Structures are given as structure tokens and as C-alpha cells.
Amino acid sequence: MSEINSHIPEGELAQKWTKYRSSVPLVNPANKRSLEIIVIGSGLAGASAAASLAEMGYKVKCFCFQDSPRRAHSIAAQGGINAAKNYQNDGDSVYRLFYDTIKGGDYRSREANVYRLAEVSANIIDQCVAQGVPLAREYGGLLDNRSFGGVQVQRTFYAAGQTGQQLLLGAYSALERQIGMGKVEMYARHEMLDVVVIDGKARGIIARNLITGELERYFGHAVLLCSGGYGNVFYLSTNAMGSNVTAAWKAHKKGAFFGNPCYTQIHPTCIPVSGDHQSKLTLMSESLRNDGRIWVPKQKNDPRKPTDIPEEERDYYLERRYPAFGNLVPRDVASRAAKERCDAGYGVGASKLAVYLDFTANTERYGRIEATKQGNHNPDKETCMRLGREVIKEKYGNLFDMYKQITGEDPYETPMRIYPAVHYTMGGLWVDYNLMTTVPGLYALGEANFSDHGANRLGASALMQGLADGYFVIPYTIGAYLSKEISTKPIPTSHPAFEEAENNVRNTIKKLFEIKGTKSVDHFHKALGKIMWDKCGMARNAQGLQEAIQEIRALREEFWKDVRVTGDANEFNPELEKAGRVADFLELGELMCIDALHRNESCGGHFREEYQTEEGEALRDDEHFSYVAAWEYQPGTSFTLHKEDLNFENIKVAQRSYK
């Protein structure tokens, strides 16, 4: 049985990373050329890691299931990326970013990792600017910042409403440069279906060529999983349809512990569900809460248009409940508050499962500033709104256009309707300070690991973590392992372990085709998603979770008896891809519910209805649950719990308050 050791360096928090970087074992340039690294995923974490490691001299193979690294889901991140550069001179610092992240995660993350993240955040911005990423700038040419949830400073750098896309293009350019130089071999349209473990160490993968259907074997001295999160276990989420848990789950079944699987994030700013026809949800960037005010009518089931409801009959409930942070409370707080208002009968729209996000006040404020610049010191409201719209358009234009295309409503004229939806997963493969899983030589980066966000991720921190891990952490920490592997010659893929792993994958594929059932893969995915959302979603309770575990087990049994996978294994077959991924979700879903059931407290995005304050806020139990839950897979789909205690030496643990 693997022992949990986080390998956190000794010494003062602020010096740990600096000292560690200066003393970590190195691999000399000649030896790097003989060491091979496999990178799974080509989003921000994967592309930045592959490019950085190749530039250092390692031989890198990078795999993605999309047709190009440019199609990675990182492209969908809109709002921004945090960094403690204090450009606004508003009191920001590395320590404050560290503190906000720990507090935002409801004191359920590891201090050392979070401080390192805050420490390297400023380097990320410099790196991206040097790559030519077009981050927004103020009139004088300095980089601009905006506000995001859970903090009281402006530290979020952005590129209009397409920050993830622009950052990904920067990392993609760096990756393509290494591909062009022959230092990275790129395998697009390939999906990793198993990890090959030899003598207890990760030594390669089995991948399926998604065009031909062929199973292929690849050796690596180390394997890096940069494959994103598992929000699609809920079926309806803000994730791309292809986002899945398969790479991480196969690693879990080969011995990598899974950390805090029940910590999933509900994003408060999504376009509401419109019907059963939907296969995904659309995220409206959290940056919109920077200038939008959230409200519901004070009258239940108010039939009037939002523009017909006077100011005094509106309930700006976040500003009322959380005056210090207002509309910029963390995501978990904002999401529960919206659900509470809708459950109480104050929801808007046809479904009554929505609240308003209104830009009128700040549009007028921006317009007044613009009018003053033009010498008009007493503008009328119409002038203010006209000029203000140009400012809003410059900041959020593509987001407003997207909303109009999807809903048919013009957000410049009428408030947006938003409602919480599944977004990010804070849980993931357990990793130590080096980002290594419990399987030696197997690493997890970005959203695929559990390490930095605790029970709730602050907005604009996903891009930060992905790039921090890829550009600035793994290039150092992987040396600690590879320095001991320089005498290991490439292992032929004819090795029995490769043979066995490929046969297991082939048998699973064969089994899926042989079922010849009556129900589609999507049928099972939707059924799983409904169980997960209803009983392990925004709110959970013991009875619901116990029911969910039994229902998921029954659904999984039905899946393996009655799913119908059409087509053939040796061809381009999206139905087969989906079937394998849903099979993994059906196992992961059970573990998520088991994890949520064992944690008898509320913290961050994990809200157990039995554990809440009188005001309806999350009630932690630090005495019994101040630990990372790391689950070990056992044959037959059962799980053993290991605990990594969380020790806070630099922060005073307290009840979160945003009032």
C-alpha cells in the first residue's frame, strides 16, 4: 500500500520554493537528450509543460484527442488570469494572493503549494507578454486589471472576454516551435486508454488512434497527465463535450490516489438550462460580476419585464447579505445564494431558475466618465448610456454577443438571466509538492490534480495554475525523479507490461461492442448526470448520497448489459470514444458520492445540508476534517481512504466571512 508523503520542503513558507529550486537534483544537457517524457493533453498545462521540457532538452511526446492543440478546452476560459503584481497599487502582494486562495478554498488546500502558486504568478504574466499574448492595456500602455470574486483587490489580467484562448495561443506557439525543431513529437487525435507500469514506475501509455482505431504503445521515462477536469460527470456542465476523466481514471486504477473527488465547483454565471435538448451549458464569464449587479424582484413570481421593475422593488441580495464583497463573493457563495432565492420563489424567466445580471448602473457610470472626458459635465441619461455601452462593448463585447446569439435577447437592452452550473473540479489525482502522484514517474498538472484550490476555486486561478505547473514548476521538480533515471535505457514496447496493458484495453473495447444492447451511450450519461446533479450537486445530504451510490451502481450494471455501441473498433468511432468515457464516469460518480458522504461537514463547493450555520453558510468541522481525502482504488470498484493532514502555520483558520 502506498504511503502518502507530500514531500513539502523544510523551512519558512516564503523560502521553501526558492531554496528547493536551488537544491533540487539536476539532469545535465547531454543526459536530457536521452530521457523521454510523455505529456497527455495539450491545453495550458500540457502545452506549456511540453514546450518548456523540450526547450530544456528532453525528448517529448505530446498527445491530445482533438485535431489540434489549439482546440484544448483551455480556450473556453474567458475572464482572466490572476497575478500578484500590484499594478493597481491597491495593497496586493504574494502573501495576499496566497491568503485569498486559501480562504477562498475554505481552508482545505495545502499551504506550501498555494504559496508557490502565488509566488510564480507574476512570472507567468511576464512570460505571456514576452510571447506576444495581447493582454488588455490601459490608456498609458500599462497592463490593465479587473476584479474577480473572493478578493478585494484588482489582480486579474485579461484579454477582453477570451483570455484562455489568447494564453493558449501563446503556449501553442511555444509548443509548435519545439515541434518544428523536432524536439516534440505531436500526436493529435490520440486518446490515452491506459498507463503502463513496470516495476512500480510509470513507463508508458497505451493510446488509441482515433482516426484508424489502432491501439499504439509508447514508452516514456515519465508520464505527465495534463488532461483537465471531470465536470462532465454531471452531463450538463460548462465543459466541452469531449472533456472527460479517462486519463486520470486509468491512472487511478493503476495505483494513483484520487484526491477530494467530491470538490466540484458550481459557477454562478451560466446561461440557464432551456430544455432537455441541451448537451452542454454556456458559461458567461465571472468577469461580468465585475461590472454587473445581481438581483431578483422583491415580489415572488413577478410577471413584469426587468426593465419595468423600479429600483426600490429589486433585491440586490448579494450586496444585501455580503456588503464587504457584494457581487464579488466567491463562486460557491454566489451560487448558493442564487439557488436560495430561486427556491424561495423569487426566480425569473420561464423556468424561474434564474436571476438577473444587470449592467445598467455601471454602463451609466462609465458613460458619465466618458462624457466628462469630452467636456460634457452634465450629460443626460441617454448620452451616458450611449457612451457607456461603448466602454462595456470594449470590455465584454464578445460575451454580450455570445449571450444574444444563444438566448435571442440583447443584454445591452435587458439584464442577462444567469443560474449556477457545474464548471471546474477542485478534486483530481493526489500529487505531492513535486506534482507526482502516488505512482513514481507519473505526474498530474493543472486541473487534473487536486493541489491548489481546496474546496472552492477563486475565479481566474485555473489559467494561473495550469501555466504555473507547466512553465515554472514541473521543469524543476521532474529533475528530482529523472536524475535517478539517466541509466534507464528506453524499454521496448514489446515488454510484457505493454502487451498486458494493450490486451486489457482491447478486451474492454471488445466487451463494449459485444453487449449489443438497446440504449445509447448518451442515455446512460444523461441518467448519471441527473443523479449527480440532484444528489451530489449544489447541495448534498446523507440520505441523497446513499441513494445516489445505489442508483449509480445499478445504472453501471445496466450499462454493461444494455448499452449499444455502433460501428467498429478499427475506424473513426465517436460512439466508442463516448462509451469508454461514460464507463469511467460511472465509476468516478460513485467515488464522488462516497467522498461527499464521508465528509460530515460543509466547506466551499461541498455543501452538506445537515452542516450549515443559522445564516445558511457552510459549517466546517476543522477538528475532524482538516485533511485531504486521498482514495486508493481496489479491484471490484471499491475504495480505501488515506488522509493527508492539513497544517496551517502561516494563516489563522477562521469561519469564512465576506460581510
Side-chain angles (χ1 to χ4, degrees):
M1 185 182 294
S2 300
E3 288 296 316
I4 282 193
N5 185 343
S6 56
H7 295 114
I8 296 170
E10 295 293 323
E12 288 182 32
L13 184 68
Q15 301 302 317
K16 284 184 192 294
W17 178 235
T18 303
K19 188 176 178 184
Y20 183 77
R21 272 187 323 179
S22 304
S23 57
V24 70
L26 300 175
V27 180
N28 82 41
N31 286 331
K32 282 175 183 164
R33 290 193 289 272
S34 63
L35 291 170
E36 301 180 41
I37 300 172
I38 290 173
V39 178
I40 306 300
S42 61
L44 285 181
S48 60
S52 300
L53 294 168
E55 189 164 5
M56 293 171 74
Y58 294 107
K59 295 163 69 173
V60 178
K61 300 185 186 82
C62 186
F63 296 79
C64 69
F65 65 71
Q66 300 93 343
D67 54 2
S68 162
R70 290 178 63 174
R71 304 276 291 183
H73 185 57
S74 301
I75 204 171
Q78 299 160 335
I81 176 170
N82 290 329
K85 288 179 88 69
N86 196 28
Y87 276 10
Q88 303 299 323
N89 197 29
D90 56 1
D92 201 10
S93 65
V94 168
Y95 182 86
R96 195 176 292 276
L97 175 52
F98 157 70
Y99 175 82
D100 287 343
T101 305
I102 294 277
K103 178 184 176 184
D106 218 352
Y107 305 95
R108 289 292 176 264
S109 38
R110 194 191 281 156
E111 271 193 348
N113 284 60
V114 175
Y115 194 90
R116 177 176 64 189
L117 176 66
E119 193 177 344
V120 304
S121 65
N123 302 97
I124 298 169
I125 304 303
D126 297 338
Q127 169 90 359
C128 295
V129 168
Q131 288 175 334
V133 175
L135 295 169
R137 293 180 181 268
E138 294 177 328
Y139 179 75
L142 296 175
L143 293 176
D144 197 10
N145 297 102
R146 58 189 177 201
S147 299
F148 254 64
V151 305
Q152 291 178 305
V153 295
Q154 288 183 217
R155 67 161 66 101
T156 303
F157 295 79
Y158 65 98
Q162 49 183 264
T163 314
Q165 179 178 353
Q166 297 302 332
L167 292 172
L168 182 63
L169 288 173
Y172 169 73
S173 299
L175 174 61
E176 284 296 321
R177 178 170 176 266
Q178 299 302 321
I179 293 170
M181 294 169 70
K183 293 183 173 183
V184 174
E185 289 182 61
M186 188 71 217
Y187 296 87
R189 288 293 188 188
H190 279 69
E191 180 162 32
M192 187 201 105
L193 294 180
D194 208 356
V195 180
V196 178
V197 178
I198 300 175
D199 297 330
K201 296 179 179 180
R203 292 301 192 196
I205 64 164
I206 305 298
R208 181 171 178 267
N209 182 322
L210 299 181
I211 302 297
T212 66
E214 195 177 342
L215 295 181
E216 300 169 359
R217 308 172 185 180
Y218 297 94
F219 164 79
H221 288 89
V223 177
L224 275 55
L225 300 184
C226 312
S227 50
Y230 49 87
N232 272 355
V233 69
F234 291 87
Y235 186 69
L236 282 179
S237 83
T238 66
N239 289 263
M241 289 299 293
S243 298
N244 64 85
V245 77
T246 290
W249 195 251
K250 300 306 187 193
H252 176 53
K253 293 176 88 163
K254 280 292 178 76
F257 292 3
F258 213 102
N260 298 333
C262 78
Y263 287 169
T264 54
Q265 178 161 82
I266 313 296
H267 198 295
T269 321
C270 297
I271 298 177
V273 177
S274 59
D276 291 340
H277 63 282
Q278 276 185 273
S279 54
K280 80 174 295 294
L281 296 171
T282 303
L283 171 69
M284 300 310 296
S285 169
E286 173 158 314
S287 63
L288 296 174
R289 290 203 280 151
N290 182 46
D291 282 319
R293 298 179 73 196
I294 296 170
W295 63 277
V296 292
K298 288 183 177 177
Q299 176 185 319
K300 287 187 180 182
N301 300 310
D302 196 320
R304 292 175 290 177
K305 293 179 183 176
T307 49
D308 292 339
I309 300 175
E311 193 73 14
E312 62 273 12
E313 295 180 36
R314 301 178 178 189
D315 177 16
Y316 294 93
Y317 58 89
L318 290 177
E319 297 171 33
R320 168 173 57 81
R321 289 179 61 178
Y322 309 102
F325 283 73
N327 298 296
L328 289 170
V329 291
R331 291 176 176 178
D332 60 318
V333 176
S335 295
R336 281 195 297 274
K339 180 179 186 294
E340 184 274 328
R341 286 291 81 190
C342 291
D343 290 350
Y346 296 96
V348 301
S351 68
K352 300 300 179 189
L353 289 175
V355 298
Y356 289 128
L357 178 59
D358 193 338
F359 286 82
T360 306
N362 277 314
T363 300
E364 186 175 353
R365 180 174 66 84
Y366 284 129
R368 196 169 297 282
I369 293 169
E370 292 301 306
T372 303
K373 286 182 189 175
Q374 297 172 13
N376 182 353
H377 296 286
N378 194 22
D380 57 24
K381 184 168 182 176
E382 185 182 342
T383 301
C384 289
M385 295 304 289
R386 177 174 54 80
L387 293 172
R389 269 179 202 173
E390 292 305 311
V391 178
I392 294 291
K393 189 172 184 179
E394 188 177 332
K395 283 173 169 271
Y396 313 110
N398 62 318
L399 301 174
F400 277 51
D401 292 345
M402 185 168 69
Y403 182 88
K404 186 176 182 180
Q405 288 172 0
I406 291 170
T407 66
E409 298 172 5
D410 186 349
Y412 292 108
E413 300 290 340
T414 187
M416 290 183 181
R417 288 175 295 106
I418 57 167
Y419 193 70
V422 173
H423 179 50
Y424 187 91
T425 51
M426 285 78 64
L429 293 177
W430 183 92
V431 293
D432 65 10
Y433 190 74
N434 292 324
L435 305 184
M436 192 191 287
T437 68
T438 46
V439 176
L442 181 65
Y443 294 79
L445 283 64
E447 193 180 357
N449 73 34
F450 87 100
S451 71
D452 293 359
H453 307 297
N456 172 64
R457 178 175 69 78
L458 290 179
S461 287
L463 304 182
M464 176 173 64
Q465 188 207 348
L467 292 179
D469 287 356
Y471 283 138
F472 297 108
V473 178
I474 199 68
Y476 286 99
T477 61
I478 201 167
Y481 176 75
L482 291 180
S483 62
K484 301 181 184 71
E485 296 295 322
I486 52 178
S487 60
T488 302
K489 300 288 183 253
I491 298 171
T493 55
S494 57
H495 188 284
F498 279 92
E499 188 83 31
E500 183 185 354
E502 183 182 324
N503 285 337
N504 289 339
V505 171
R506 198 179 301 281
N507 290 337
T508 300
I509 291 172
K510 185 166 175 269
K511 187 177 175 185
L512 284 167
F513 279 112
E514 286 176 346
I515 296 168
K516 298 189 188 308
T518 62
K519 296 188 175 76
S520 69
V521 175
D522 282 343
H523 164 85
F524 290 99
H525 198 176
K526 283 183 180 178
L528 173 64
K530 180 163 176 50
I531 296 169
M532 294 299 296
W533 177 251
D534 289 347
K535 295 176 178 177
C536 194
M538 239 194 297
R540 301 113 186 242
N541 59 57
Q543 182 183 339
L545 290 166
Q546 287 163 350
E547 291 170 358
I549 291 167
Q550 298 307 317
E551 289 170 20
I552 291 168
R553 286 173 180 166
L555 185 67
R556 187 167 67 235
E557 192 175 333
E558 185 188 354
F559 173 89
W560 286 105
K561 288 179 180 174
D562 201 23
V563 73
R564 184 170 188 81
V565 181
T566 54
D568 188 69
N570 299 313
E571 64 180 5
F572 175 66
N573 190 340
E575 282 301 302
L576 174 60
E577 294 172 42
K578 285 196 292 186
R581 295 165 184 172
V582 171
D584 294 331
F585 279 141
L586 283 163
E587 294 180 352
L588 167 70
E590 181 182 343
L591 176 58
M592 289 171 69
C593 293
I594 290 170
D595 187 38
L597 181 61
H598 107 276
R599 191 170 280 277
N600 292 322
E601 65 165 353
S602 291
C603 55
H606 168 63
F607 191 75
R608 283 281 296 272
E609 292 172 337
E610 306 96 319
Y611 307 102
Q612 55 182 299
T613 65
E614 290 180 10
E615 296 85 24
E617 305 294 347
L619 184 62
R620 291 197 323 270
D621 181 352
D622 294 326
E623 185 181 347
H624 298 105
F625 293 97
S626 188
Y627 60 77
V628 176
W631 295 89
E632 180 182 12
Y633 183 86
Q634 304 290 357
T637 319
S638 62
F639 309 93
T640 302
L641 174 63
H642 302 262
K643 299 176 182 179
E644 179 201 343
D645 291 331
L646 293 170
N647 300 308
F648 295 95
E649 300 171 0
N650 299 273
I651 275 182
K652 184 176 184 296
V653 178
Q655 188 68 32
R656 272 199 309 172
S657 174
Y658 294 96
K659 294 183 177 178

